[in-house]
Structure formats: C-alpha cells, structure tokens
Amino acid sequence: SDFTSEYDGAMWAFASAENKAMFDADPAAFAPQYGGYCAYAVAQGYTASTDPEAWSIENGKLYLNFSKGVRRRWLPDVPGNITKGDANWPSVLG
C-alpha cells in the first residue's frame, strides 16, 4: 500500500517505487485491454471477470482471461480474437 496510483477509475498497487514510477510514466502501456475484462469473452461479444494468472501479452499489450482454460481457447488465434474484441469494445458494456 506504500506505492499506489489511480488510473482509469481503479487503484493500482506496486511492489516498489520504481515499478510505480514506470507505470505513472505511461499507465496505458501497463493497463489490461478491454478494461480488464476477459479478452476472449469480449471477442465473443460479452464480458466476464478475469483470473490474474491467466494472461498474455501481444504486441506489448496485456490481455486477461477468465481462467487458464479460457486462455487456451484464446491463444490459437490471438490476432483474430483481438480483431473481434476491438470491434466489440466498448459496446459489450451495455
């Protein structure tokens, strides 16, 4: 709790002042895509929560998934899923 920043309506906690400073310099580079919702779900046209251990990085961007099992469905066509997700985002929010 010593190293926190607020970004995009969320509080972010860091292990060190150095990590916080890197985030503060360019938070969009570190923030997950699709508001932190499951990237596979967004690609399919809905939202779902995520497991912080089910993630991948594509072209320098962080994508989270509901579970490691869902991540296995995401990985075979990451570019296609990103194209679908980008087309659905943010309209899937409601």
Side-chain angles (χ1 to χ4, degrees):
S1 64
D2 290 341
F3 310 108
T4 61
S5 294
E6 188 174 333
Y7 173 72
D8 204 21
M11 186 61 66
W12 300 74
F14 304 93
S16 69
E18 294 80 12
N19 288 350
K20 178 186 179 327
M22 287 180 12
F23 178 85
D24 289 344
D26 188 8
F30 294 92
Q33 300 301 295
Y34 312 129
Y37 289 103
C38 174
Y40 184 78
V42 172
Q44 301 305 307
Y46 60 96
T47 62
S49 60
T50 56
D51 176 349
E53 294 185 16
W55 56 273
S56 58
I57 295 175
E58 181 73 17
N59 294 323
K61 294 182 179 179
L62 173 62
Y63 295 89
L64 300 175
N65 292 119
F66 176 77
S67 66
K68 290 180 180 179
V70 170
R71 184 179 62 188
R72 284 191 291 276
R73 287 186 256 165
W74 162 262
L75 290 174
D77 186 16
V78 173
N81 285 319
I82 290 171
T83 297
K84 291 178 196 172
D86 289 350
N88 291 337
W89 185 256
S91 63
V92 294
L93 294 176

